[in-house]
Amino acid sequence: MQDFIQATIKANEEIYHHIKDGISDELFVETTVGAGGDISSRLDLLAEEIFVKHLGTFGVIESEESGMIGKGDAHIILDPIDGSSNALSGFPYFGTSVALIDSSGLLRYAIVCNLVNGDIFIKEANKELLQGKLFSKDFIKPKEISNSKIGLFEKAYANAPLTALLDQENLKFRAPGAIALSLAYARSVEFVLFMGAFRIYDFAAGLALCEGLEVIVEQDYVIVSKDKDIANKIEELIKLTKTGVEDV
């Protein structure tokens, strides 16, 4: 694998070592509002520091926490902890998200890691998606689950009308709270849906992992599914909520 991929894996392994036995009390402390608009915890900043150490020689890093860091021709988009609120609440669904855009503007690498179970997803331009585990050299093509029973709806709590319509259509979902990680598992679930403001930190790597799936991206929503009909149905429901029509 390329040096950048290896460096990103090493960064994730180092972060994992810091939290594998539980997040220490000092990492729960909140600091200032980060570049992405959320309050950064010391956990976020520790993860960012580790990524900068491992990836800083590859290009300028745009981090959700500190904004632009360093310099270089390549542009690295980083969410040091995807699902920070989950991590700081003891809810086991959080990870990291890294994307590298080269000097020509091509998204060269996308890497999303689950810091709870060690799953890591790697997409290199013009190559198939690979899935492996931290501390392992074995990578395989992710298994696609054709009869998925649930979807993932990020920010469902802020979109009550749509949740009601999804229920009417018997489209079951969970709302786990880490969008890049949810996109990484898009081949396992029926759909991934996000409603809200589009931030590059949340989607740069995650959407790259969804190559070959049905993907709909608009200003205020993102839909991903293995099934084009499911994706289109969800988009219809979103449009109904915007027109105020309640009956499907």
Side-chain angles (χ1 to χ4, degrees):
M1 289 189 177
Q2 301 297 325
D3 290 345
F4 180 80
I5 295 175
Q6 290 297 331
T8 305
I9 292 172
K10 290 296 184 185
N12 277 290
E13 289 176 345
E14 184 173 341
I15 296 167
Y16 181 87
H17 274 304
H18 276 276
I19 64 173
K20 64 183 177 64
D21 296 322
I23 298 172
S24 57
D25 290 344
E26 64 268 19
L27 296 181
F28 284 86
V29 175
E30 294 183 336
T31 60
T32 58
V33 176
D38 295 330
I39 297 176
S40 298
S41 70
R42 287 186 179 172
L43 173 62
D44 295 306
L45 297 177
L46 172 64
E48 179 185 73
E49 178 184 341
I50 292 169
F51 274 116
V52 171
K53 178 177 71 175
H54 286 274
L55 304 183
T57 59
F58 292 96
V60 59
I61 296 173
E62 182 178 0
S63 171
E64 182 180 0
E65 311 311 326
S66 299
M68 307 303 288
I69 303 169
K71 58 184 179 180
D73 294 331
H75 182 193
I76 300 165
I77 300 170
L78 170 67
D79 187 350
I81 297 291
D82 175 40
S84 299
S85 295
N86 289 350
L88 297 173
S89 301
F91 182 67
Y93 192 82
F94 57 92
T96 69
S97 173
V98 181
L100 183 144
I101 301 171
D102 67 18
S103 57
S104 68
L106 174 68
L107 200 157
R108 179 68 61 181
Y109 304 110
I111 303 167
V112 174
C113 180
N114 184 331
L115 289 173
V116 178
N117 66 6
D119 282 349
I120 187 163
F121 300 83
I122 298 172
K123 180 70 174 72
E124 184 175 353
N126 304 316
K127 293 186 179 181
E128 68 178 8
L129 176 66
L130 295 175
Q131 179 179 355
K133 289 279 188 181
L134 294 179
F135 311 103
S136 171
K137 297 185 182 300
D138 298 325
F139 285 83
I140 61 172
K141 182 179 178 181
K143 181 179 179 180
E144 187 170 300
I145 299 176
S146 58
N147 59 339
S148 310
K149 302 302 182 185
I150 61 164
L152 302 176
F153 185 0
E154 297 289 354
K155 299 203 78 170
Y157 62 86
N159 295 280
L162 182 56
T163 63
L165 291 177
L166 291 169
D167 182 55
Q168 288 179 26
E169 294 294 320
N170 199 32
L171 290 169
K172 298 179 180 179
F173 63 85
R174 305 294 183 264
I179 181 59
L181 199 53
S182 290
L183 289 168
Y185 290 112
R187 287 170 174 78
S188 297
V189 297
E190 191 172 23
F191 62 87
V192 178
L193 169 62
F194 174 87
M195 289 280 292
F198 188 102
R199 303 188 311 171
I200 192 66
Y201 317 103
D202 298 322
F203 291 98
L207 281 177
L209 304 184
C210 298
E211 182 178 293
L213 302 178
E214 187 67 23
V215 177
I216 301 173
V217 178
E218 296 293 344
Q219 185 175 358
D220 56 350
Y221 62 87
V222 174
I223 307 166
V224 178
S225 180
K226 304 181 294 289
D227 188 327
K228 184 176 182 178
D229 291 338
I230 291 291
N232 289 339
K233 167 56 71 174
I234 293 172
E235 186 169 39
E236 290 175 10
L237 298 178
I238 292 171
K239 291 176 179 179
L240 286 177
T241 66
K242 292 183 176 183
T243 58
V245 178
E246 296 182 354
D247 295 324
V248 180

